Amino acid sequence: PASPLRVAVSSLATKLNASFLETCLEIDRRSSVPLEWNFFAGMSGLHHALTKKQIRGWLPGAAVHGYMEYPELIAALACCDLHLSTFPFGGTNSNLDSMQLGIPMVTLSGPEAHSQIDTGMLGGMWYPGGAAAALEIRGDALTAIYEKAREPLGTLAPAAP
């Protein structure tokens, strides 16, 4: 069997919603490679238990990590292959963590100002090993973006000004 593509969702639980989790489920169903979901929601105690229950209601095999000190969070995030940004509310700090590690990122832009921040942030800069893309729900969207982002640096063009 193929190795799973490890997808990081690094976001406070308050930014997770049914539309986003439904999109994750649909991506999981349609992917031709196994996906390993890793949610970093920064919760502890009862809040973590409830968040884990909700996420696993959508994605039963998902790893829902509890609160971690920053060095531990960065080490766990570094084990992931791809960062999927939440929507419509993204996460600037989470984006910076993934950029620092060179993890390819997938963002979704919407009509509201708050749903354009992540894509705008990535579209205005270039970082090695990273990619920003509008996410369409289709079978291999995450795999294709990951493979494109991992091509040799010379084959990726920086975003147009």
Side-chain angles (χ1 to χ4, degrees), residues 5 7 11 27 30-31 39 49 71 74 81 93 125 137 147 154 161:
L5 182 65
V7 181
S11 171
I27 291 167
R30 294 185 184 196
S31 180
F39 287 80
I74 290 299
D81 301 308
N93 291 333
M125 63 180 65
I137 303 173
E147 289 171 358

Side-chain angles (χ1 to χ4, degrees), residues 13-85:
T14 56
K15 293 184 181 183
L16 301 175
N17 58 67
S19 177
F20 176 75
L21 292 170
E22 183 177 26
T23 300
C24 293
L25 176 61
E26 191 63 24
I27 291 167
D28 194 72
R29 285 181 180 154
R30 294 185 184 196
S31 180
S32 63
V33 298
L35 301 177
E36 177 186 298
W37 294 92
N38 288 273
F39 287 80
F40 300 93
M43 308 297 284
S44 61
L46 183 57
H47 290 185
H48 177 252
L50 292 172
T51 300
K52 181 189 280 188
K53 181 178 180 181
Q54 289 296 314
I55 292 170
R56 287 189 174 166
W58 292 91
L59 298 162
V64 183
H65 304 279
Y67 174 79
M68 300 176 189
E69 293 293 332
Y70 190 71
E72 184 183 6
L73 171 65
I74 290 299
L77 191 58
C79 295
C80 294
D81 301 308
L82 193 69
H83 168 118
L84 178 60
S85 198

Side-chain angles (χ1 to χ4, degrees), residues 119-161:
T119 301
M121 179 181 182
L122 295 177
M125 63 180 65
W126 175 246
Y127 70 102
L135 176 62
E136 293 180 12
I137 303 173
R138 57 185 178 84
D140 295 317
L142 294 183
T143 306
I145 291 165
Y146 173 72
E147 289 171 358
K148 180 65 178 168
R150 289 299 181 199
E151 288 179 5
L153 291 179
T155 65
L156 292 173

